[in-house]
Amino acid sequence: PRVVPFYAVKCNDDERVLKTLIDLGAGFDCASKKEIDQILNLNVSEDRIVHTHTAKQVSHLKFSAEKKIKKLTFDSAEELIKIKKYYADAEVVLRIRFDAASSIINLGLKFGCDPSTEAPELIKLCKEMKMNLVGISFHVGSSTCDYKIFEQALAKVRELFNLSEAIGFDLRFVDI
């Protein structure tokens, strides 16, 4: 009952698909200003949208702030600093890298920080910068049959939740 699916708009942005998902109560994973605008134009409330690109253009950050898209994903200190500058009230979600070896496309080559070395430092930086860290995000890569990787990734997420809670955050969001 606590799980809410967030559909990645980039997978298929056909309006009929999106309207069906809206009617079913899904949230939306939007990687760009265009995708956010498309979903907002279908009368979806901003709390059902996560801006998931980890390297956002300043104009896209400003757009998210203007439209009150609260959840923004980041994977580097540079992105966190940019979010702080242009949207200090955002709820940030830290993306970690956790690719399955058998994935056809390893997204960790482009997105996500190292969960053991970089993630703890970024969590501490969130605290220092007084940012509102609300969750952790990961992607295991495309088309894997290695389902154990989810168990391993979630164990690491639990560790990061524990670390976050120990320094004062109350994380409630996992984006898989």
Side-chain angles (χ1 to χ4, degrees), residues 35-172:
E35 291 177 3
I36 292 169
D37 200 38
Q38 180 179 10
I39 296 302
L40 289 174
N41 285 333
L42 293 171
N43 297 315
V44 173
S45 65
E46 58 277 350
D47 64 327
R48 290 172 63 184
I49 299 171
V50 180
H51 192 166
T52 57
H53 202 297
T54 58
K56 292 168 275 311
Q57 297 175 33
V58 170
S59 62
H60 291 207
L61 274 174
K62 289 179 177 179
F63 181 78
S64 286
E66 174 191 322
K67 299 298 183 180
K68 296 181 177 37
I69 308 302
K70 294 289 274 184
K71 286 186 179 66
L72 305 178
T73 304
F74 76 103
D75 65 1
S76 68
E78 295 78 15
E79 186 69 8
L80 187 63
I81 291 165
K82 191 170 39 168
I83 292 169
K84 174 73 173 183
K85 181 176 181 179
Y86 294 103
Y87 194 5
D89 294 342
E91 297 175 348
V92 293
V93 178
L94 176 59
R95 179 160 177 173
I96 62 172
R97 181 172 51 247
F98 223 98
D99 285 323
S102 63
S103 293
I104 292 174
I105 299 173
N106 290 332
L107 296 174
L109 297 173
K110 291 172 40 174
F111 306 109
C113 66
D114 182 273
S116 297
T117 59
E118 296 170 308
E121 294 305 314
L122 288 169
I123 290 167
K124 291 172 189 168
L125 183 59
C126 282
K127 189 67 173 175
E128 290 170 20
M129 293 176 62
K130 297 184 169 98
M131 293 299 291
N132 186 12
L133 179 66
V134 298
I136 307 290
S137 169
F138 70 90
H139 194 302
V140 299
S142 296
S143 300
T144 185
C145 291
D146 177 9
Y147 302 111
K148 284 283 191 190
I149 195 74
F150 288 98
E151 184 178 334
Q152 295 163 9
L154 287 168
K156 181 53 79 172
V157 167
R158 177 74 262 169
E159 286 178 31
L160 295 171
F161 265 52
N162 292 344
L163 170 66
S164 299
E165 291 167 2
I167 62 173
F169 288 111
D170 182 26
L171 278 59
R172 299 274 179 230

